[in-house]
Amino acid sequence: MKHLTRDNLFLLLLTGTLLFFTLHIPQTIYRQEDFRHVELGLPLPFIVQDQGITPPLPWQTYLASMCENPVKINWPQFLIDIFFVFGLLKFSSRFYYLKKMI
């Protein structure tokens, strides 16, 4: 039983790490108005950031400093992302254990 708990803890940590890295995938902005509502995160965007800058367009942006740019976390989408990625990793890990047993 401890082995399963340790595996689940590892998968949960890996899920959090993967979701954190999705915040740094560049988003292309084509209109100035879109800098007020930059959606970040995959598979569902769970962070909305007001970057309030005016660079030349099109512009690629990612998660900017949270101290200077307000951030809103969409909790339902974040929880859905956690369940989805965790479930996908859990499903994938079954193939690893199945191969190990054969």
Side-chain angles (χ1 to χ4, degrees), residues 24-72:
H24 298 284
I25 296 174
Q27 302 291 322
T28 304
I29 304 292
Y30 297 100
R31 299 180 321 165
Q32 290 292 341
E33 303 87 45
D34 292 341
F35 282 108
R36 297 276 177 214
H37 190 80
V38 179
E39 293 182 341
L40 303 162
L42 290 174
L44 297 172
F46 57 90
I47 297 265
V48 178
Q49 189 172 40
D50 178 2
Q51 294 191 352
I53 55 176
T54 56
L57 297 175
W59 186 263
Q60 286 201 336
T61 188
Y62 49 89
L63 184 67
S65 169
M66 290 188 226
C67 296
E68 299 172 5
N69 304 301
V71 170
K72 179 184 173 240

Side-chain angles (χ1 to χ4, degrees), residues 2-98:
K2 287 182 180 180
H3 182 68
L4 292 176
T5 305
R6 197 172 42 226
D7 287 349
N8 286 338
L9 185 61
F10 173 74
L11 289 178
L12 190 59
L13 182 64
L14 184 60
T15 298
T17 303
L18 289 173
L19 289 177
F20 174 75
F21 283 126
T22 66
L23 297 174
H24 298 284
I25 296 174
Q27 302 291 322
T28 304
I29 304 292
Y30 297 100
R31 299 180 321 165
Q32 290 292 341
E33 303 87 45
D34 292 341
F35 282 108
R36 297 276 177 214
H37 190 80
V38 179
E39 293 182 341
L40 303 162
L42 290 174
L44 297 172
F46 57 90
I47 297 265
V48 178
Q49 189 172 40
D50 178 2
Q51 294 191 352
I53 55 176
T54 56
L57 297 175
W59 186 263
Q60 286 201 336
T61 188
Y62 49 89
L63 184 67
S65 169
M66 290 188 226
C67 296
E68 299 172 5
N69 304 301
V71 170
K72 179 184 173 240
I73 300 175
N74 191 338
W75 289 106
Q77 286 180 290
F78 181 62
L79 293 175
I80 290 170
D81 283 352
I82 287 175
F83 288 128
F84 178 74
V85 174
F86 181 81
L88 192 62
L89 290 173
K90 188 77 170 166
F91 179 74
S92 300
S93 71
R94 294 197 186 274
F95 291 111
Y96 171 76
Y97 288 122
L98 184 62

